[in-house]
Amino acid sequence: SMASSFYGLPQGLYLTGVAPGSGAFEAGLQAGDVITHINDSLVENLSSAVRIRDKLSAGDTISVTIFRRGTVITTQVRLSNRQMVASDYNL
């Protein structure tokens, strides 16, 4: 919360990168986006995002709300199988 306040961003999950081929990549998520909600559940940090993710399965489609450069965007993301994605830090 201190970093989000300092940078003028909403609290959430700040994406430092998006793995090519992942559901997030296919949905257009980008480095610098801040995920604020998943399926209408508030995302405050990585732990809250992981708790939500762990209730879902690869192939599920989720609603993701992001903050990007002053704009709020909601998009649909199809969850990838983490073993099929190059790195393990993606939702």
Side-chain angles (χ1 to χ4, degrees):
S1 63
M2 188 167 31
S4 63
S5 178
F6 180 78
Y7 291 107
L9 298 170
Q11 191 166 345
L13 180 62
Y14 181 84
L15 300 181
T16 59
V18 179
S22 68
F25 181 85
E26 298 299 325
L29 274 65
Q30 304 172 3
D33 289 346
V34 179
I35 297 175
T36 60
H37 292 81
I38 298 175
N39 287 344
D40 297 321
S41 294
L42 183 64
V43 174
E44 296 177 322
N45 51 40
L46 179 59
S47 296
S48 61
V50 169
R51 278 193 300 276
I52 296 166
R53 183 203 62 194
D54 287 349
K55 295 177 185 174
L56 303 165
S57 301
D60 288 348
T61 299
I62 60 173
S63 174
V64 176
T65 302
I66 62 169
F67 177 86
R68 178 184 294 156
R69 294 184 295 276
T71 303
V72 176
I73 302 166
T74 300
T75 189
Q76 302 298 304
V77 175
R78 184 178 168 108
L79 296 179
S80 303
N81 182 333
R82 289 186 287 165
Q83 296 169 339
M84 297 176 65
V85 178
S87 49
D88 192 25
Y89 59 85
N90 289 291
L91 294 174

